[in-house]
Amino acid sequence: MSSKVVIALALLAFALVAAVPVALVAGVIMMLLGHVIGGLALFGGSILAATAAVLLAGFTGVRHLRGVVRGMLTEHDFNEHNTTEHDLTERNSQVFQLGRDDYTYIR
C-alpha cells in the first residue's frame, strides 16, 4: 500500500470524525421535527462510519509502517558491521585513558 493511500484514509477518518458533531446537531433537529428514528439513525450511522474509518486508517497505517521498517531492516547488511575482537581492541586503543591522578573527586 502506498503512502498516498494511507494519507487519504487518515484524511477521510479525520473528516468523518469532524462530521460527528454536525450529525448530532442535525439528528437533534430531526428529532425535534418528529423524525426520532431518522435522527438517531443519522447520529448512530455517523459514529459507526467515523469509527470504521479510524480503525481502517489505523490498521493500514500500522501495516504500512511495518512494511517500511521491514524494508529498512532487510536493506541493511548486518554482515558488514559485525565487530570482531580485533576491531574492538583497535578502536579502544585510540581512546585516551585518564590515570587515577587525573580525577579530582577520587580520594
Side-chain angles (χ1 to χ4, degrees):
M1 212 173 265
S2 71
S3 298
K4 291 180 182 180
V5 173
V6 174
I7 292 171
L9 286 173
L11 289 175
L12 176 68
F14 180 73
L16 287 175
V17 168
V20 169
V22 175
L24 174 65
V25 170
V28 168
I29 290 172
M30 285 179 67
M31 285 189 263
L32 290 174
L33 294 175
H35 301 285
V36 176
I37 301 297
L40 290 174
L42 177 68
F43 183 59
S46 69
I47 288 178
L48 286 175
T51 303
V54 167
L55 288 175
L56 183 65
F59 286 140
T60 55
V62 167
R63 209 170 114 196
H64 181 70
L65 181 64
R66 283 183 183 168
V68 169
V69 170
R70 187 178 300 125
M72 288 171 51
L73 290 177
T74 55
E75 287 176 5
H76 185 65
D77 187 15
F78 289 105
N79 294 330
E80 288 181 9
H81 300 290
N82 285 342
T83 57
T84 60
E85 188 176 329
H86 179 315
D87 293 337
L88 291 175
T89 57
E90 185 176 305
R91 258 191 240 145
N92 287 340
S93 65
Q94 298 173 358
V95 175
F96 180 74
Q97 295 184 355
L98 296 174
R100 191 159 179 86
D101 297 334
D102 294 327
Y103 294 103
T104 58
Y105 56 88
I106 296 179
R107 294 181 189 192

